[in-house]
Amino acid sequence: NAGVMQNPRHLVRRRGQEARLRCSPMKGHSHVYWYRQLPEEGLKFMVYLQKENIIDESGMPKERFSAEFPKEGPSILRIQQVVRGDSAAYFCASSPQQGDGYTFGSGTRLTVV
Amino acid sequence: KNQVEQSPQSLIILEGKNCTLQCNYTVSPFSNLRWYKQDTGRGPVSLTIMTFSENTKSNGRYTATLDADTKQSSLHITASQLSDSASYICVVSKDSGYALNFGKGTSLLVTP
């Protein structure tokens, strides 16, 4: 079991471009969570998804950010028209049941230049 | 204000020594408290998880304590090793369980 796989590990985007972050959950895990870690800050909850459903997106900015977890394929966190303040580490976690047995990926480090 | 506060912010100890990290939280209603270890450039890895009724839990050289009345927890590391150098993060979840509240972590450096 390869664990939670995130790619890319590092992503550099110019202001105004789009960033797409991918997360493949552990085998058998149908619950996916995205967290953001700003420099010198703790991880902050963004969104919780199950297959084809967004359960809770209360931590995600209302504009420019979206997330999906399709029936087939990885979960995608999409950031449109990136700004410098979006530079952060984005972590994905998955679990077999809601809130139980969390496993985190290694994160994607987004740098907006 | 962050609902999970950790101290100290950073700590340097000699290899072989013990140390204790502190966590205070205000998250309510409380479901469980976890301690994670995060190596530089990696995702957090779970060390212990405790529910309301548990006072202490060990995982090898790591021992976590929980006082749910005072809303305090500690992580004690025994006989530290160089590989213990990492950020140690206290994480508290509410009854909903899935949205974790992270502290900023204590950055531990173990030196030879």
Side-chain angles (χ1 to χ4, degrees):
Chain A
N1 192 333
V4 178
M5 302 301 294
Q6 288 189 249
N7 67 81
R9 288 296 306 275
H10 300 274
L11 182 62
V12 179
R13 284 287 178 266
R14 295 185 185 280
R15 281 178 294 170
Q17 290 184 319
E18 178 180 289
R20 279 180 171 250
L21 288 62
R22 295 174 186 78
C23 170
S24 296
M26 283 186 70
K27 187 176 181 181
H29 288 193
S30 60
H31 303 256
V32 167
Y33 318 82
W34 285 93
Y35 284 78
R36 177 165 66 173
Q37 186 174 31
L38 295 170
E40 307 301 321
E41 295 290 326
L43 277 73
K44 294 287 194 295
F45 169 78
M46 297 182 74
V47 61
Y48 163 37
L49 312 101
Q50 292 182 30
K51 283 286 188 181
E52 300 184 273
N53 289 304
I54 297 174
I55 307 302
D56 182 348
E57 56 183 350
S58 60
M60 199 155 64
K62 295 289 186 288
E63 297 180 353
R64 301 188 298 107
F65 285 72
S66 62
E68 63 177 7
F69 188 15
K71 186 177 181 182
E72 301 291 338
S75 175
I76 305 287
L77 179 66
R78 183 183 178 204
I79 311 172
Q80 295 177 291
Q81 299 173 336
V82 296
V83 300
R84 288 232 170 97
D86 296 333
S87 294
Y90 291 83
F91 289 95
C92 168
S94 71
S95 68
Q97 300 164 15
Q98 178 179 300
D100 187 35
Y102 260 75
T103 300
F104 280 87
S106 294
T108 292
R109 275 140 195 89
L110 172 66
T111 301
V112 180
V113 297
Chain B
K1 189 180 187 301
N2 198 16
Q3 297 184 72
V4 180
E5 298 285 347
Q6 292 187 242
S7 63
Q9 191 172 23
S10 60
L11 184 61
I12 302 175
I13 60 173
L14 290 174
E15 186 180 11
K17 297 295 186 183
N18 305 334
C19 67
T20 301
L21 315 179
Q22 302 291 342
C23 173
N24 297 330
Y25 64 92
T26 58
V27 176
S28 183
F30 170 85
S31 175
N32 58 64
L33 184 146
R34 317 169 193 219
W35 282 93
Y36 280 86
K37 178 186 180 185
Q38 185 176 21
D39 292 307
T40 301
R42 311 293 297 180
V45 175
S46 180
L47 295 175
T48 63
I49 178 170
M50 290 182 291
T51 59
F52 184 90
S53 59
E54 295 176 292
N55 299 120
T56 185
K57 182 161 282 190
S58 292
N59 177 3
R61 295 180 296 103
Y62 302 105
T63 299
T65 65
L66 173 65
D67 185 335
D69 292 330
T70 61
K71 297 186 177 180
Q72 294 179 325
S73 176
S74 67
L75 180 69
H76 187 74
I77 304 175
T78 304
S80 61
Q81 301 175 358
L82 298 179
S83 59
D84 292 333
S85 296
S87 179
Y88 290 84
I89 308 173
C90 176
V91 184
V92 181
S93 64
K94 290 186 176 181
D95 277 351
S96 63
Y98 60 80
L100 304 181
N101 295 277
F102 281 74
K104 292 185 180 181
T106 292
S107 178
L108 175 66
L109 176 63
V110 180
T111 63

